[in-house]
Amino acid sequence: MTIQAAPATAKPGPGAAQVFALAWPMTLKAIFLHGTVVIDGFLLSSLGEGALAAMGLAAALGGIVLGVIFAFSHAMQIRTAQAYGGGDPVFLKSVLASGMAVSLAIGLLGVGLIQICGGTLINALAPSTVIATQAQTYLSIFSVVILGEAIGQCIASFFNGCSRSKLPLYGYLLSVPINVISSIGLIHGLWGLPALGVAGAALGSAIAITVQTVFWSVLLLRTNGHLRRAVGWHQDTFRPTIKRHIGFSLPIAATFVSATLSTHVCSLIYAKMSLNGFAAMTLIAPWNLLAGQVAMQWTQATGILVAQLLGKRTPEAVLDRFLSRAWIGAFVAAGIVSMIFLIMCLSLDWIYPNLEAQTRAILFGFLPILLIIQFPRATNAICGNTLRAAGDTVYVMHIFIWAQWAFRVPATALFILYLDLSAFWVLSLFLWEEVLKFPAFHRRLWRGDWKRSDVAA
């Protein structure tokens, strides 16, 4: 993409160094966040498949609520950046209060629904009464995690939007060791603690999230306690203020929820593949999630800085220059992710020595797609996060939802249920989805309307 060079008289703006400073703590935080479930599964594996099934069943129900909370927290991150860039304490206070109210409402509603309907769902889905009882106990304790994350993720997104992304990372550096140590002790009854089994894993997570949330709350009071003295609301009163926040957040949240649902639907269809193909698709998913954070967090950091620059009413030439630098960095990040997959595919015999040779061959066959897809995915993400930062959230939502539900989901069903194509062609649909989104994203960005957005409205 060619972007106009800034004139010599343009004010200096942020560059790749500022994006990197914001992105690397966000990347580590995302890896810690997604790795927590893996840790809990590993710790419970010694108790057998029944314990894992109970945790998986309960975590699936609780994960739905957490997914919605995380979706709204991403919108909170962008809205905070817009307010922070403008330097208006009333706007910043309004975003924080609105975001916290929305996040807590989702958490309380989710916990309420779990208490009312969770037991019935678990009894219907669990393979035995013992697993159902364990899952219900886990889920009851996990409600504390949901409420803690409702508060904590809002605060973490606020910090990210204010370019203080190290503060959320400090919270994870504190909570992850607490989670591991307390869960080990409570699962197996070590160090004088009761042996609670599956419930111990949930309680360990609850303790860790509580400590993390308290830690972030104290940091918020110390760094932004002065916002309590800001008089008034961004939209005159709190009711229209929170209404405006919800209007901004809903399309972004809908985009993330849609992505999660479409992925789950496709995963159910994958079950109709050959055993080796299904295993390969299952194994590549967490690699995609974790390795992809390198490029995705870079593009999210770019969106945060764009939102801040728009909040400052930065000249278009400075915006162009910044985006050009960020774009180059996104391609570097995509190259790093491609190299991670190259190393992974070349090390399959060492990483998965117990897999059948055919499954390893399918995984190795994914390599061309995994190397290529990172680049269109990164450039599309730059476009999407830039447009979101400018408030063009509905357009971005339409691109994602139509690409997922009008293309990838039905194409997945066609490839597997009717054409019986191999796993390589099924995985290639992710690449074709990015190709499909490419012109819609880039045409909108090239128009340049985003550079003139009044994000404080």
Side-chain angles (χ1 to χ4, degrees):
M1 177 177 177
T2 304
I3 297 181
Q4 272 188 333
T9 57
K11 297 179 181 179
Q18 285 76 15
V19 180
F20 178 77
L22 187 59
W24 74 261
M26 292 170 58
T27 302
L28 290 180
K29 169 183 170 287
I31 291 173
F32 277 131
L33 177 64
H34 295 299
T36 300
V37 178
V38 178
I39 292 171
D40 282 350
F42 175 76
L43 295 177
L44 281 175
S45 61
S46 61
L47 299 183
E49 285 77 5
L52 289 173
M55 188 206 78
L57 184 57
L61 295 178
I64 295 173
V65 184
L66 288 179
V68 178
I69 290 172
F70 293 148
F72 275 90
S73 72
H74 183 75
M76 170 76 178
Q77 190 170 266
I78 298 173
R79 194 63 173 158
T80 300
Q82 294 173 344
Y84 180 76
D88 181 359
V90 174
F91 190 6
L92 204 57
K93 181 193 81 169
S94 299
V95 171
L96 179 58
S98 299
M100 187 64 73
V102 170
S103 190
L104 270 175
I106 295 169
L108 290 170
L109 178 62
V111 168
L113 289 174
I114 285 173
Q115 296 301 321
I116 295 170
C117 307
T120 304
L121 285 171
I122 287 173
N123 287 331
L125 297 172
S128 70
T129 54
V130 173
I131 291 176
T133 301
Q134 290 178 331
Q136 288 178 22
T137 304
Y138 185 101
L139 193 56
S140 296
I141 301 171
F142 196 76
S143 296
V144 177
V145 175
I146 293 173
L147 294 177
E149 291 286 23
I151 299 171
Q153 290 303 316
C154 180
I155 296 174
S157 295
F158 182 81
F159 286 146
N160 287 340
C162 294
S163 289
R164 294 198 292 266
S165 58
K166 289 182 182 179
L167 299 184
L169 177 59
Y170 295 154
Y172 279 96
L173 292 176
L174 176 66
S175 67
V176 170
I178 291 174
N179 190 1
V180 173
I181 294 171
S182 60
S183 293
I184 290 174
L186 290 166
I187 289 171
H188 301 289
L190 304 178
W191 314 304
L193 296 172
L196 301 178
V198 174
L203 187 55
S205 297
I207 293 170
I209 292 300
T210 301
V211 172
Q212 176 181 275
T213 302
V214 170
F215 175 73
W216 282 343
S217 299
V218 171
L219 285 179
L220 181 65
L221 287 173
R222 294 184 65 178
T223 57
N224 292 94
H226 63 279
L227 294 178
R228 291 176 295 175
R229 297 189 293 272
V231 180
W233 299 99
H234 188 58
Q235 302 286 342
D236 295 329
T237 63
F238 186 64
R239 184 175 179 179
T241 297
I242 195 170
K243 184 178 179 181
R244 175 70 183 93
H245 184 89
I246 293 173
F248 177 86
S249 303
L250 269 178
I252 298 176
T255 302
F256 281 82
V257 171
S258 172
T260 301
L261 289 177
S262 63
T263 299
H264 284 312
V265 170
C266 288
S267 296
L268 293 174
I269 301 173
Y270 296 158
K272 297 296 184 180
M273 300 171 66
S274 68
L275 181 60
N276 299 105
F278 182 41
M281 293 296 294
T282 302
L283 286 171
I284 204 62
W287 281 95
N288 257 322
L289 184 63
L290 291 178
Q293 294 301 323
V294 175
M296 288 301 101
Q297 296 304 321
W298 179 279
T299 61
Q300 286 194 22
T302 299
I304 289 172
L305 290 172
V306 168
Q308 292 178 0
L309 291 172
L310 291 172
K312 296 175 183 176
R313 301 184 183 274
T314 303
E316 293 185 21
V318 178
L319 289 169
D320 284 340
R321 184 169 59 185
F322 166 70
L323 204 58
S324 295
R325 293 169 176 172
W327 219 295
I328 295 171
F331 274 96
V332 173
I336 292 172
V337 177
S338 293
M339 289 302 102
I340 291 173
F341 279 113
L342 176 62
I343 295 169
M344 184 272 285
C345 287
L346 293 176
S347 308
L348 287 173
D349 291 342
W350 176 73
I351 299 173
Y352 300 117
N354 297 320
L355 283 181
E356 293 182 13
Q358 185 178 349
T359 304
R360 291 201 300 270
I362 294 172
L363 283 169
F364 187 80
F366 288 160
L367 183 57
I369 298 170
L370 297 172
L371 293 178
I372 296 171
I373 194 175
Q374 311 307 328
F375 298 95
R377 180 176 284 170
T379 189
N380 282 340
I382 284 281
C383 292
N385 282 293
T386 299
L387 293 172
R388 285 193 190 112
D392 201 359
T393 56
V394 175
Y395 182 81
V396 174
M397 177 190 70
H398 277 293
I399 293 176
F400 276 99
I401 289 179
W402 283 104
Q404 290 157 2
W405 295 101
F407 172 69
R408 179 158 54 87
V409 172
T412 299
L414 176 65
F415 279 25
I416 295 173
L417 302 180
Y418 294 97
L419 301 180
D420 195 24
L421 297 182
S422 69
F424 174 87
W425 293 110
V426 174
L427 187 71
S428 74
L429 290 174
F430 287 92
L431 174 58
W432 291 115
E433 181 185 351
E434 296 299 334
V435 172
L436 185 66
K437 292 186 293 188
F438 194 92
F441 270 134
H442 290 72
R443 188 184 305 117
R444 190 75 159 196
L445 198 73
W446 279 333
R447 275 176 38 178
D449 296 346
W450 63 273
K451 291 179 278 190
R452 297 177 288 276
S453 298
D454 183 10
V455 297

